Structures are given as structure tokens and as C-alpha cells.
Amino acid sequence: MAMMTDTAGLRAGYVAQTARRYFVLAMAAALLTLSFVVDVATGPGNYPLRTVIETLFDPVAHGVQIKVIIWDYRLPIAVTAVIVGALLAVAGAQMQTILNNPLAEPFTLGVSSAASFGAALAIVMGWSVLPVVGALMVTVNAFVFALLTCGFILFATRLKGVGSETMILFGIAIFFTFSALLALMQYMASEDQIARIVFWMMGSLGRASWEKIALGAALLAVVIPFGLMRSWQMTALRMGETTAQSMGVDVARLRVEMLIVVSILAATAVAFVGTVGFIGLVGPHIARMIVGEDQRFFLPLSALAGALVLSLTSIISKSLTPGVIYPIGIITALIGVPVFVSIILSTRRRSLS
Amino acid sequence: MTLTIQGLHARYGAVPVLHDVTLAPILPGQFVGMIGPNASGKSTLFKTLSGLVRPSHGTIRFGDTDLCRLCRRDRARCIAYMPQAFGCNAILTVYESVLLALKQTTGWRVADANHDRVAQTLAALNLSHLADRGLGNLSGGQAQMVAVAQTLVRDPAIVLLDEPTSALDLHHQLSILSSVRAEMQRRGTIVMAALHDLNLAAKFCDRLILIREGRIMADGTPEDILSLPEIGETYRVETALERTRRGSLYVDATLGAAY
């Protein structure tokens, strides 16, 4: 009898924990919605919140001028912040799990600097990796270089004796290589070109367009279910490679599959907004601290947390100085990092409930 | 169904680790102790049986099934291998980590039957009180017992435990091995455990297999095996097998002059 109640008690505990996690996901989604609306409502022009919300539901409710500002300027930027935040965070979350390293993300693995070099190559030399891309040359170059770097990382993980620490060292090597090449590009560039490169590297949501948004959303719609389907295996990977294998996970195959998928995510996100460090790190870390590492909750919460953080960054970038929109890459580093460090320090000793 | 191993060879790169390992059929419910010094091939044998290492020659059969032909998932359903404990830094509770092991070979959704299995396994190993504890807050011994729970929860036909008692105190060494033995005999599960403590091996095993440099040196009842002169030679000590007043076998080992 004692064992019966024991069994029921354990299950009840787990069920309650699961319910709490769904609640956290719902709260995060609600916060994201709120942040999104505020993001759309802030900006030069100072329209009242009500006017903005009414325009969202009925574009021409307050005239064509507001419609253009909301629908053609603010909305694409706000949606891009959400999508790119989620892309970067999902990429970071999966990289951290696959490479078994909490520091792994597109920025620390050198993917961002490779993309910057690709962009610079297009800006300075007018040289495109893929022909016939026209105006999209900068974005396409950034994407291709980011993808090649991910391919190199994938290759490196297959080498014998390359552990998780070595991966980050590879990332640093990639970072310095492309930084040097980038400096070379800047040395060769004209003043105007230097300005464009620097602005690209700072990371900006201003390059938003509905085509990019559709592409990013489609990627998320494919990758998140893909990750969720493999969530039990991915969680098992956190128990250690040998343990995961002994549980029946084909670790080598899982790694390759996930890295390919994640490479495309990371390359896309970086190509869209430029260098935005920290989101791929902070999204997963916040998620991990709240729901632990059961990937069924960790992955979606990482996506929501990343989206929320970038959306908040977008709001802050418009609010610091009236009439000025600062590049988000600067904001994420200046405001996000101290907040992040304080979160880590304050929750480090708290055990998981 | 019985487990038969015939002519098994395995190598790491060019280094051969197992040489022609052939064992008499292992019967359901049998508790087999693998003994032998460090680096004698015990872990490699377990890894080869569970499919983590591919044998270069030989067959592994369970009943009529050739285990080497099974896909990874089916093989894991049949054979559960507990690697030596190294600890991990995953942020999961004990309950989650045991459920996780079970979910690798069952459907995506967490069913009621899954909860029953996890709770029963934790209860059988006296671990229920740790269920909500985070893996990071466990002692080495607790982590090892949780690893055993992760292995048993899958209800496999064959369980391979690599040094399941290395981090445990005396009480828990005895309690975990007797729980495992009782539970596995009830289910008719084959257990193979690599053990360093010969007295523990004598107490719990139906059969002992002495392995040295990747070769099977001896195979038989604990009393037969532990009284062999090869035991002393293999471990490079002088041994004498005695029976205590309570009837247990006791291996008295000294370093001796020869070593």
C-alpha cells in the first residue's frame, strides 16, 4: 500500500512539474506578444498605443500615412526581431547540446565573423559567391560564408580527438582568421564602403523585408518540430555520449543531422541582421535556468526567450535617444551582457526544483 | 532465451582488445560476474555486446536472434548497458533522467505505463526519495545508483553493469546488488556485471568469468574460479580462498613476495 501511494506521489510530482512548464511557455508567449506590440508602438512619430493597435487590425483606420509607417516600417522590423531572435536562440540551443558546450553559439563558433567577411567581400570587391543574385549579393555572400563555416565545424566534429573544448578553440581560430581578412577588406575599401561594412557588422533590424521574414518563419516552422521530434534523443545526449549510445541513440547521426539543420538556421539569421552576438547564448541559458534540459520544453522556451530578448532590444534601441535607432548589436552587448551575468550569478546556486 | 557468444574479436584501430571470446550459453536469470584486472577487456566486451563497438569477428546470439543484425534501437531494447559512471552536468531531475532512458525505446508521448515503470524501478532500488533531486546535486554513489535505475527501467532481457558498485559505501554495495539480483531473477533477466571486489562477486554471482588481456581465462562457479591459482597470477597477488564462519566465501589476498 505504501508503495502504491509512493508511485502515485512521484507521478503527481512530475505531472505538476510538466504543468508548470507549459505555464512558463504560455507566459513567455504572452510576454513576447506584449513586447511585440510595444515594439510596433514605439518609434519616431509618437502615435498613441490605441491608434497603433487599431491600425494593426484595420490598416487604413487612421489614414494612409500611419498605415505606411506601421505596416511598411515598424511591423517588418518588429517581426524580424522576433523571428531572428528565435532563429539565433534555437541555433545556439542545439549547438550547445550537440557540441556539449554551454558557450557554443553562432558568434563564438566564428559563424558571424565569417558572414561579416562575406558581406565585406560583396561590399568592397563587388564579388559574389553565387552569380546572378543582384541586390541580394551582400546577404547571399554572408549566408554562404556562414554556411561554409558551419560545414567546417561539422567536419571538425568528425575528426578524431576533437572534444568540446577544441571546438571552441576552432571557433576562436575561425574568428581571428576572418577578422584579419575583414581588416584587409577594410584597408582596401573606400570611406563609403568602410561605413557600409561597419554598419553591417553592428547588426541591424533595418534590413527587414517581408521576403526575409517569410523565409525565416518557414525555417522555424520546419526546424522546431524537427527538433521536438528528436527531443528525447537530444536530452539523452546531455547524459553523456556513451550513456546516450547505450540508451540506443545513434549519436553520430543525430549530431550530423542537427548540425546541418542548425547551420542553415544560423547562417540565415546572421545573413539577415549581421553580427548579433549574445542572443544565441542568452536565450538557451534563460530557458535552461527556468525549465531545465528536457528538450521538449527547453527548445521552445529557448526560441521564445531569444525572440523576447531581441524584441526588447529593438524597443530599447529606439527609446534611448528620441529619433535615433541604434544598431541592435551594440545594444545586446551593452545592456544584455550585464543583465545576463547578473542572472547567472544570482541563480547559480539555486537547485532545480 | 540464452545468450551465446562465439569467437568474438574486437579491436580499437590496430590494437586488438578481445581475442576469440567464446562463452558457454548464459541462462535467463543468471547473474554473471566478470572479473579481471584493469584494462583486461571487461568494458570492451560489454561495449561489443551492446553494439557500441563493432566486433571484427564472431557472433552474439540471443535465442535465435543475431544481435549484431539488429538496429541500434532494437538492440538497446534487448540489451541495456550501464557505462562506468563519469557523472554529467545535465539539468534534469532523477525522475526525468530515468524516464528519459525509458523514452528512448518507447513512443514520444509520456504514457501512464511509463510513469508506473519509472516509479516501480525507483522503488525497487530504494531511490524514490531522490526522485525530485537534480542530477547535479547527487553524490557519486547516488549518481551511480541512478545510472543502474536508468538501465533497469528499460526492462531489457540482458543487463550489462560496468562496475556498478565502484562509488558505493558498504551498505549500498550490498543493497544495490541484492536488489538487482532479486529483481532480475524475478524477471528472468540475464545480468553481467564487471566487479573488482572478489568477495562481492562471490556473494552475488551464480557464475564468474575471469578475463585477462582480452582472453577468457576461466569460467565457472565462484567457488571453483576463486580457488584457481590463475586468480593470483592475473591480479599479481597471492590469494587463498576461505569460508567464513557464516558460510561466505572470502578471498584473502596479500601482495606476496613473488609480486
Side-chain angles (χ1 to χ4, degrees):
Chain A
M1 231 7 239
M3 205 176 122
M4 283 296 289
T5 50
D6 207 20
T7 306
L10 291 184
R11 181 197 300 188
Y14 183 83
V15 170
Q17 185 188 47
T18 306
R20 271 201 305 276
R21 288 175 177 177
Y22 278 117
F23 177 72
V24 167
L25 284 180
M27 283 300 294
L31 279 175
L32 179 60
T33 312
L34 187 67
S35 165
F36 174 76
V37 171
V38 173
D39 192 9
V40 176
T42 5
N46 284 326
Y47 300 109
L49 186 60
R50 233 187 92 195
T51 314
V52 173
I53 292 176
E54 279 170 7
T55 311
L56 280 179
F57 286 105
D58 177 12
V60 286
H62 294 273
V64 180
Q65 192 196 352
I66 295 187
K67 176 193 171 255
V68 169
I69 287 174
I70 301 293
W71 279 83
D72 293 352
Y73 288 94
R74 290 193 191 173
L75 208 51
I77 289 178
V79 177
T80 302
V82 169
I83 300 255
V84 167
L87 284 172
L88 286 170
V90 168
Q94 302 294 61
M95 282 176 173
Q96 286 163 26
T97 305
I98 294 167
L99 302 176
N100 187 28
N101 193 317
L103 288 176
E105 63 132 345
F107 186 73
T108 47
L109 289 176
V111 176
S112 298
S113 57
S116 299
F117 172 70
L121 207 58
I123 292 167
V124 180
M125 315 288 275
W127 187 80
S128 172
V129 186
L130 297 179
V132 243
V133 285
L136 283 173
M137 188 163 66
V138 176
T139 309
V140 170
N141 259 16
F143 177 81
V144 170
F145 271 87
L147 204 58
L148 286 178
T149 307
C150 291
F152 174 75
I153 292 164
L154 183 63
F155 167 74
T157 57
R158 307 282 281 171
L159 295 177
K160 272 225 176 323
V162 174
S164 57
E165 294 86 2
T166 324
M167 269 330 302
I168 295 297
L169 292 180
F170 267 126
I172 292 173
I174 296 171
F175 177 83
F176 278 115
T177 308
F178 282 111
S179 295
L181 289 173
L182 190 65
L184 186 69
M185 283 293 123
Q186 286 172 322
Y187 183 73
M188 290 157 64
S190 69
E191 269 175 39
D192 170 55
Q193 286 167 338
I194 287 181
R196 282 180 64 197
I197 294 173
V198 169
F199 196 67
W200 196 94
M201 281 169 52
M202 281 173 180
S204 165
L205 294 170
R207 295 187 282 270
S209 76
W210 287 111
E211 292 79 22
K212 290 178 182 174
I213 287 169
L215 186 57
L219 266 179
L220 279 179
V222 172
V223 168
I224 289 181
F226 181 81
L228 286 177
M229 258 166 57
R230 280 160 180 70
S231 51
W232 289 110
Q233 285 124 291
M234 289 292 282
T235 314
L237 207 50
R238 293 292 298 120
M239 300 297 302
E241 190 173 332
T242 313
T243 304
Q245 275 182 323
S246 75
M247 287 176 179
V249 179
D250 192 337
V251 172
R253 192 175 146 189
L254 182 67
R255 281 219 168 106
V256 171
E257 273 180 10
M258 275 300 165
L259 260 182
I260 290 174
V261 169
V262 156
S263 302
I264 297 172
L265 278 194
T268 307
V270 174
F272 283 1
V273 296
T275 307
V276 179
F278 171 77
I279 301 291
L281 209 56
V282 76
H285 276 266
I286 290 176
R288 197 175 281 123
M289 282 188 280
I290 299 177
V291 296
E293 291 187 284
D294 183 337
Q295 301 271 333
R296 292 174 302 156
F297 302 98
F298 171 64
L299 185 64
L301 190 61
S302 295
L304 287 172
L308 179 62
V309 171
L310 201 57
S311 181
L312 290 174
T313 307
S314 167
I315 297 172
I316 295 170
S317 73
K318 291 187 274 190
S319 320
L320 287 180
T321 315
V324 179
I325 302 179
Y326 289 102
I328 43 165
I330 298 176
I331 309 290
T332 54
L334 278 185
I335 297 180
V337 172
V339 171
F340 180 49
V341 169
S342 64
I343 291 175
I344 296 175
L345 291 179
S346 66
T347 53
R348 198 173 39 153
R349 282 187 205 86
R350 211 183 59 196
S351 62
L352 180 84
S353 61
Chain B
M1 287 197 284
T2 59
L3 175 67
T4 16
I5 299 164
Q6 247 168 351
L8 205 60
H9 290 257
R11 49 178 71 239
Y12 288 132
V15 186
V17 190
L18 294 179
H19 306 269
D20 194 19
V21 172
T22 302
L23 293 176
I26 300 172
L27 309 174
Q30 222 173 28
F31 197 119
V32 181
M34 300 295 304
I35 56 173
N38 295 328
S40 57
K42 302 185 294 288
S43 298
T44 308
L45 177 60
F46 284 179
K47 284 181 182 166
T48 314
L49 292 179
S50 60
L52 270 62
V53 170
R54 199 187 290 270
S56 46
H57 283 291
T59 54
I60 307 161
R61 291 187 164 278
F62 182 61
D64 294 329
T65 318
D66 184 349
L67 288 184
C68 297
R69 284 172 186 269
L70 293 182
C71 74
R72 192 171 272 292
R73 213 168 125 115
D74 286 343
R75 189 143 171 188
R77 210 170 266 155
C78 174
I79 261 196
Y81 161 56
M82 185 197 89
Q84 279 180 51
F86 291 110
C88 75
N89 54 2
I91 306 178
L92 295 167
T93 64
V94 168
Y95 192 94
E96 284 179 292
S97 76
V98 176
L99 179 66
L100 170 69
L102 179 61
K103 291 314 290 175
Q104 299 306 323
T105 46
T106 54
W108 196 85
R109 280 186 62 87
V110 181
D112 285 352
N114 300 151
H115 286 301
D116 291 342
R117 263 272 268 289
V118 173
Q120 281 161 12
T121 307
L122 289 175
L125 296 174
N126 297 317
L127 295 172
S128 303
H129 63 289
L130 294 177
D132 294 332
R133 195 80 74 83
L135 287 184
N137 301 335
L138 298 179
S139 72
Q142 288 169 333
Q144 197 163 32
M145 292 194 286
V146 169
V148 174
Q150 289 176 344
T151 313
L152 299 193
V153 74
R154 288 137 68 185
D155 197 13
I158 304 161
V159 168
L160 310 174
L161 302 174
D162 205 343
E163 297 189 24
T165 54
S166 59
L168 300 183
D169 63 36
L170 196 53
H171 172 85
H172 287 104
Q173 289 179 7
L174 296 173
S175 80
I176 199 106
L177 286 180
S178 53
S179 308
V180 169
R181 189 182 155 88
E183 185 71 13
M184 296 298 100
Q185 262 181 348
R186 199 173 59 74
R187 297 190 200 170
T189 306
I190 291 172
V191 182
M192 294 175 79
L195 295 168
H196 274 311
D197 186 330
L198 299 182
N199 294 316
L200 271 184
K203 204 181 196 71
F204 288 100
C205 299
D206 304 307
R207 178 175 165 188
L208 286 187
I209 295 170
L210 176 64
I211 185 167
R212 178 184 173 183
E213 289 168 7
R215 290 186 169 80
I216 303 298
M217 306 299 290
D219 180 352
T221 63
E223 187 153 15
D224 290 345
I225 298 300
L226 294 176
S227 56
L228 291 174
E230 281 89 343
I231 287 288
E233 284 169 32
T234 304
Y235 283 100
R236 299 194 299 129
V237 292
E238 283 177 5
T239 57
L241 185 67
E242 294 166 9
R243 221 170 243 290
T244 64
R245 257 181 298 170
R246 290 207 282 181
S248 306
L249 289 171
Y250 174 71
V251 180
D252 184 29
T254 52
L255 212 44
Y259 305 103

